[in-house]
Amino acid sequence: MQQQPSSTFNPQDRFIPAVEDVDDYYARGGPQSPYPPVRSTSGYGYTGVDPRRRGAPVEDQREQGVVCKMKDNFGFIKCMDREDLFFHVSECRDPLQIGDEIEFTVASDPRAGKLSAIDLVLLVPGTVVFEEVLENGVNGVVIEAPTTAHPFGIIDIGDSQQPQVSFTPRDMFEGVQAIVGDEVEFSVVFDRKNRATRASDIKITKFAGNREYGVISSVKESYGFISCCESATSLYFHFNDIVFLLEGQRLERGVEVEFTIGVDKKGQTCAVRVIGVPKGTASFVREAEGKHKGTILRELISERTFSKRPTEDEMGIIKGDDGENYFYTARDIQNIRATLREGDEVEFSVLIEKRTNRRLASAIELIKPVDLKRELGIAVDLKRNYGYIDCVERQDQLFFHVDDFEVKPLEEQWQVGLELEFSVVNDNRTGKKKAANIRILPQGSVQYYDVTTEVFSGVIEKECKIGHATGRRKIDNSGVILIPLRGEDGVIIQAKLSYANQDQLDPSVNFWPDDMVEFNIATEKKTGIRSAVNVRLKQRAELKRETGFVCALKSTFGFISCNERNEEVYFPFTELEGKDEKQVAVGTPVEFSVIQSHSGKPSAVRIKLLPQGTPTKEIYEGRVRGLVEVELKNRSTSETNVGKIRVMEGEHKDASVDFRVDDVDKKFVLRKGDKVEANIGFDFRLKSKFATNICLVREQGVVLSVKPTFGFLQADDLSKPDALYFQIQNKSDAASSDAFQVGDRVEFVTIFNTRTKSLNADELVVISRSAAPSSTSELKVASPMLTPKGRNKSGSKDPIVVLRQPQAPDSTLPWGAGRGRLTIEDRNKMVLQHQ
């Protein structure tokens, strides 16, 4: 029956076309208004549809269907008793959408010559039923799968009355594709439209083929890989091969799946028809029947079992009573807090790996623990709730936790030096050894050495390092004692025993090489190494005594400047006589012996303080000559105002020695290059040689030439240049040039002229006078005598005075020695004749 229009007026439900569109609107079959009709200007009446374009009803009976397709202003209806019918939206007063159930009348369309639906009325959902369910929960096997050419499949249900039923891909639950051999569960329905029975809502209960389980090991953009439970391979799969996943599952690593092994387009093996399965379904092992017993053959050494299965080298091994070896990990232990030790008796289940057939132990229970060896040690490093033990019999320190104590220690007991008894076990978390079942012992219970009661004597070969009386023994800090021991063959050999500062009865006493000592021999339990303990002095060695003074002091040591060696030696305050370092100050004279210390450097020992006033300088006998290398900066007596003299003769030849203002005769001002005479000494405080009582060397020579303000003389020392320049104004006994004459023998000192970089004569004193020509004519008369030829002709033996030999700027003969020239040998002979 046609639905009556609502009595309530809603402007939104009414459509009133514009005047110019009315004819076209009704010509296209616009909908009839459910409200009082409005007269159209086209004159078609009150129906809203052109009666010339509306077909006449074919049947009076109303039919039902479902809207299966919609366009802009028309659509199609899936009918229960005929093919899909066309309809125009104007035939329904309500807006339609796909899936709406409607009732309609079938009419003939005069324009198209086909049937169409008119007078459409919406129905309550559920009114239209295409299929009638005949039976639910029917099981069967797919014997023919739908294909593109033949879209119907066949299911064999084994019923004698109806052995087979057809289906289409649309009848599969969630669109899963079925293949031949799949076991399915479905409902049998009667299709009212086709007047036939078929299967609907088909669910696959068992997929065809050999199905396997695995775990997704990796996922890429559009594909992934599955680790198979039955074989040690990884199979490729494409996302299109995934049938379905369970609720809450996502396509990610670790998801357990079921699949069929197939072949892809390239002919390679892959996983197809992949479905998700509940967690725990995919198992890589199978469990053997019954319980087994055995003994722990190898303990666990790794805790990696909680992240991934470790290698066999990291797994524990149980030796079964049947003689087989079973591997296990930490997660295979029934009580995860229990620690299995080598020798423990256990009971377990057996798992066999599907991939490798390796036998594993699981659900392990401890039956009887093994008796563990007890060891001793001392806590050397403690934190808040753990620490480390220095073991008596082990080289490495052992970790322990506060929970490993049999009785938890009190807060006041938790300190370094705690003596402990414990067992050594494997730590499953780290794979390393640790202490367990720890018990606190009284102080003095732990001994690292076995000490003999016999007393031995020996000689110190190397002293131990000073200041290491506590802490662990270090080889670099140890001393060495030589001891005669009888070998196995009866031959006496010199054995070496080490000792440390803490091995001395009195650690404040320092032993030095050649000291004789007494001691006991201790054998270290962890290494078997022997050493000397309870070392005490028996007799001091005789050492050479030296003197010096303290040149530097620190908090616990100092340095001595030795009088007999050019170096400073180290000394500790423990070597001071009386052990009173307050009596020592810089400059204090001391007497001591020197030995080679542990570091290989000299060290002062057995130091005796000397009275104040002990000389700190020594002056050597004899005077030596030298040249000034570095001048004094000024006349200051400062310690930094130092000059240098290079010694030219004697045992100190070529030595460069320091001098100060007080070491020079006050009437002299020394310049670089001056020739001096001095005494050489040694300063014990500064550990260096020095020059003192310095004065310029006075020499003798002959005046060669005299000018109004200067002149030249020839020194008797032939190592000097031919002529030495001197200034008249600097003479000490005259104010004019009349004080000097050519040929005068004079005494002078040689100084270095810093401006001209040459030697000059200074402080001239006439020793003896000599007649010399006073005019140019006399010089001309005497000039023939200045050559060897002239002297030979005259045969005169009178002394000849040389005024001045011409020289080049560098004090060399400009023309060389030759015929008609005065040679050096001739000049020397004349000087000797004059003398």
Side-chain angles (χ1 to χ4, degrees):
M1 183 176 179
Q2 188 173 358
Q3 185 176 0
Q4 297 296 324
S6 174
S7 59
T8 304
F9 179 77
N10 187 349
Q12 296 181 351
D13 296 336
R14 183 175 182 180
F15 176 75
I16 302 176
V19 175
E20 59 270 21
D21 297 333
V22 169
D23 294 342
D24 181 70
Y25 176 75
Y26 288 122
R28 290 187 286 105
Q32 296 180 7
S33 173
Y35 309 106
V38 178
R39 185 170 180 80
S40 173
T41 56
S42 60
Y44 292 144
Y46 299 96
T47 60
V49 179
D50 186 355
R52 295 173 298 178
R53 297 186 179 182
R54 185 178 187 186
V58 177
E59 297 179 2
D60 294 335
Q61 185 179 357
R62 302 279 289 176
E63 296 186 13
Q64 295 179 344
V66 178
V67 177
C68 63
K69 188 181 294 185
M70 286 291 298
K71 296 297 183 181
D72 293 338
N73 54 6
F74 66 93
F76 292 88
I77 300 172
K78 179 182 178 182
C79 304
M80 296 179 61
D81 302 319
R82 64 178 73 244
E83 294 296 329
D84 295 350
L85 286 178
F86 170 85
F87 71 91
H88 196 277
V89 295
S90 61
E91 294 295 339
C92 185
R93 293 170 296 177
D94 298 317
L96 297 176
Q97 58 184 4
I98 295 176
D100 286 345
E101 298 179 12
I102 56 177
E103 186 182 58
F104 57 91
T105 300
V106 179
S108 175
D109 188 347
R111 292 184 303 171
K114 297 180 179 180
L115 299 179
S116 64
I118 62 174
D119 298 331
L120 278 64
V121 178
L122 279 173
L123 299 178
V124 178
T127 303
V128 180
V129 178
F130 288 90
E131 298 173 348
E132 181 182 352
V133 178
L134 302 179
E135 187 178 359
N136 289 323
V138 181
N139 295 318
V141 179
V142 177
I143 60 176
E144 185 177 342
T147 62
T148 305
H150 184 67
F152 293 94
I154 300 175
I155 300 174
D156 183 8
I157 58 177
D159 191 347
S160 58
Q161 296 181 358
Q162 189 179 0
Q164 296 178 349
V165 64
S166 64
F167 70 96
T168 64
R170 291 182 297 178
D171 296 320
M172 298 298 299
F173 178 75
E174 294 186 350
V176 178
Q177 184 179 0
I179 63 174
V180 176
D182 285 345
E183 297 181 10
V184 295
E185 182 181 10
F186 55 94
S187 298
V188 178
V189 299
F190 176 73
D191 191 337
R192 296 176 61 182
K193 180 176 181 179
N194 298 322
R195 303 296 178 180
T197 302
R198 62 181 177 83
S200 179
D201 194 19
I202 305 171
K203 297 179 181 178
I204 300 176
T205 57
K206 184 178 180 180
F207 287 84
N210 294 325
R211 301 288 287 177
E212 293 190 13
Y213 292 98
V215 178
I216 296 178
S217 57
S218 64
V219 176
K220 305 301 181 182
E221 184 177 355
S222 60
Y223 63 93
F225 291 89
I226 298 174
S227 294
C228 304
C229 294
E230 302 291 338
S231 61
T233 57
S234 293
L235 288 180
Y236 164 87
F237 74 94
H238 196 276
F239 289 176
N240 294 334
D241 294 319
I242 298 174
V243 177
F244 63 84
L245 296 176
L246 299 181
E247 184 178 357
Q249 284 185 334
R250 294 188 302 174
L251 197 58
E252 59 186 3
R253 184 174 180 267
V255 173
E256 299 181 16
V257 293
E258 181 185 356
F259 58 92
T260 302
I261 298 178
V263 179
D264 61 8
K265 297 178 180 179
K266 298 180 180 179
Q268 297 180 349
T269 304
C270 65
V272 297
R273 309 190 76 193
V274 182
I275 65 172
V277 295
K279 189 173 182 62
T281 304
S283 176
F284 291 87
V285 296
R286 65 177 183 274
E287 185 174 357
E289 296 182 357
K291 283 282 189 178
H292 294 68
K293 292 184 178 181
T295 304
I296 299 297
L297 183 64
R298 187 178 73 189
E299 301 178 19
L300 284 172
I301 60 173
S302 175
E303 185 66 11
R304 288 174 51 196
T305 51
F306 288 109
S307 57
K308 65 178 183 179
R309 202 162 192 89
T311 62
E312 289 188 355
D313 293 336
E314 298 171 322
M315 299 170 69
I317 299 177
I318 297 176
K319 185 73 173 179
D321 293 344
D322 56 0
E324 296 287 341
N325 289 340
Y326 300 91
F327 293 93
Y328 72 95
T329 64
R331 62 184 175 187
D332 297 319
I333 302 173
Q334 192 79 7
N335 182 7
I336 197 169
R337 285 191 167 273
T339 302
L340 300 181
R341 312 300 176 197
E342 184 176 342
D344 287 347
E345 295 181 10
V346 294
E347 186 179 51
F348 57 94
S349 300
V350 175
L351 300 177
I352 301 175
E353 284 188 343
K354 296 178 181 178
R355 289 181 164 192
T356 61
N357 288 327
R358 184 172 60 176
R359 303 169 72 86
L360 305 174
S362 179
I364 305 171
E365 295 182 3
L366 178 64
I367 299 176
K368 182 181 178 181
V370 68
D371 293 332
L372 297 176
K373 177 186 176 182
R374 303 294 287 176
E375 298 187 17
L376 302 177
I378 297 177
V380 294
D381 187 11
L382 294 179
K383 304 300 181 183
R384 183 176 181 181
N385 53 6
Y386 68 93
Y388 292 89
I389 300 174
D390 185 16
C391 305
V392 171
E393 300 180 9
R394 295 176 180 269
Q395 292 287 351
D396 298 331
Q397 294 181 358
L398 278 182
F399 169 85
F400 71 93
H401 196 274
V402 67
D403 294 335
D404 295 320
F405 281 84
E406 293 180 353
V407 179
K408 189 172 182 179
L410 302 176
E411 186 176 353
E412 56 270 16
Q413 291 178 307
W414 192 254
Q415 56 186 348
V416 173
L418 199 63
E419 299 189 12
L420 307 170
E421 183 186 47
F422 53 90
S423 301
V424 180
V425 299
N426 279 331
D427 189 346
N428 291 337
R429 295 183 303 104
T430 62
K432 299 180 180 179
K433 300 287 185 181
K434 75 167 186 175
N437 305 326
I438 305 172
R439 185 182 306 157
I440 299 176
L441 300 178
Q443 290 296 321
S445 302
V446 178
Q447 299 294 331
Y448 287 90
Y449 299 89
D450 292 327
V451 182
T452 63
T453 56
E454 182 182 357
V455 178
F456 296 85
S457 296
V459 177
I460 299 294
E461 182 186 46
K462 185 179 73 172
E463 79 286 355
C464 68
K465 194 170 183 180
I466 298 173
H468 291 267
T470 60
R472 298 186 64 184
R473 181 190 303 273
K474 296 182 180 179
I475 297 178
D476 294 341
N477 300 333
S478 300
V480 177
I481 299 175
L482 291 177
I483 174 176
L485 292 178
R486 187 179 299 276
E488 296 180 357
D489 54 358
V491 179
I492 302 298
I493 59 174
Q494 290 290 335
K496 295 183 178 182
L497 296 177
S498 64
Y499 77 99
N501 197 250
Q502 63 264 31
D503 296 324
Q504 300 177 198
L505 286 181
D506 185 1
S508 63
V509 177
N510 296 325
F511 301 135
W512 303 107
D514 297 330
D515 285 347
M516 185 173 290
V517 293
E518 292 180 338
F519 52 89
N520 301 100
I521 296 179
T523 304
E524 190 175 11
K525 295 180 181 179
K526 68 172 67 176
T527 61
I529 298 175
R530 296 187 302 175
S531 59
V533 296
N534 304 325
V535 185
R536 57 267 192 192
L537 180 65
K538 184 176 181 181
Q539 184 179 348
R540 285 288 188 186
E542 294 294 333
L543 299 175
K544 177 185 176 181
R545 304 295 288 174
E546 299 184 22
T547 58
F549 62 91
V550 178
C551 61
L553 289 175
K554 303 297 181 181
S555 58
T556 59
F557 62 93
F559 292 90
I560 296 175
S561 179
C562 306
N563 291 343
E564 300 181 13
R565 60 179 74 204
N566 187 23
E567 61 181 342
E568 295 177 354
V569 294
Y570 162 89
F571 75 93
F573 286 170
T574 54
E575 287 298 325
L576 291 172
E577 188 181 63
K579 312 292 184 183
D580 189 4
E581 61 271 14
K582 295 181 180 180
Q583 298 179 4
V584 183
V586 175
T588 301
V590 291
E591 184 183 58
F592 56 92
S593 299
V594 178
I595 55 97
Q596 289 297 116
S597 67
H598 189 278
S599 62
K601 297 181 180 180
S603 177
V605 298
R606 306 176 192 174
I607 303 170
K608 179 181 178 181
L609 303 183
L610 298 178
Q612 290 290 340
T614 303
T616 59
K617 293 183 180 181
E618 180 183 357
I619 306 299
Y620 302 137
E621 294 182 0
R623 291 179 66 80
V624 295
R625 292 188 176 187
L627 292 177
V628 177
E629 284 187 328
V630 179
E631 305 175 8
L632 294 173
K633 297 178 182 178
N634 46 49
R635 300 296 293 180
S636 171
T637 58
S638 171
E639 289 289 332
T640 59
N641 187 23
V642 181
K644 286 188 177 296
I645 294 176
R646 178 166 296 280
V647 181
M648 306 301 296
E649 60 185 6
E651 62 176 335
H652 306 292
K653 184 177 181 181
D654 295 331
S656 181
V657 296
D658 297 341
F659 70 93
R660 290 174 173 77
V661 172
D662 296 337
D663 297 321
V664 183
D665 192 335
K666 293 183 179 181
K667 65 181 180 179
F668 297 117
V669 177
L670 301 185
R671 303 298 180 188
K672 183 177 179 180
D674 288 351
K675 190 173 183 179
V676 296
E677 190 176 59
N679 294 104
I680 302 299
F682 186 81
D683 191 330
F684 299 127
R685 183 175 61 86
L686 300 177
K687 302 178 300 181
S688 62
K689 296 177 182 179
F690 66 95
T692 187
N693 303 326
I694 305 171
C695 65
L696 290 170
V697 176
R698 297 197 68 80
E699 303 180 55
Q700 292 184 2
V702 179
V703 177
L704 297 180
S705 174
V706 179
K707 299 297 180 180
T709 59
F710 64 92
F712 294 90
L713 61 85
Q714 175 63 51
D716 293 343
D717 186 358
L718 300 181
S719 63
K720 286 189 169 46
D722 293 334
L724 292 177
Y725 171 84
F726 65 90
Q727 288 184 322
I728 300 299
Q729 59 266 31
N730 291 338
K731 65 184 183 300
S732 59
D733 59 348
S736 66
S737 61
D738 297 338
F740 300 106
Q741 296 179 3
V742 175
D744 286 349
R745 285 196 62 78
V746 293
E747 189 179 59
F748 60 94
V749 295
T750 303
I751 63 173
F752 182 76
N753 191 324
T754 56
R755 183 177 60 83
T756 62
K757 308 298 181 182
S758 61
L759 296 178
N760 294 164
D762 198 8
E763 298 187 5
L764 276 66
V765 177
V766 177
I767 300 176
S768 62
R769 296 285 186 178
S770 177
S774 58
S775 63
T776 306
S777 60
E778 293 181 359
L779 289 174
K780 291 180 180 179
V781 173
S783 60
M785 302 300 295
L786 297 178
T787 63
K789 184 176 180 180
R791 290 197 302 275
N792 293 335
K793 287 183 179 181
S794 63
S796 174
K797 297 182 179 179
D798 294 335
I800 300 175
V801 178
V802 180
L803 298 181
R804 183 172 181 270
Q805 180 72 16
Q807 296 178 352
D810 58 353
S811 301
T812 60
L813 297 177
W815 302 286
R819 183 176 178 83
R821 298 288 184 267
L822 183 62
T823 63
I824 295 177
E825 290 78 7
D826 294 335
R827 185 185 60 194
N828 294 339
K829 290 179 181 179
M830 289 188 293
V831 171
L832 293 176
Q833 292 177 359
H834 180 70
Q835 292 178 347

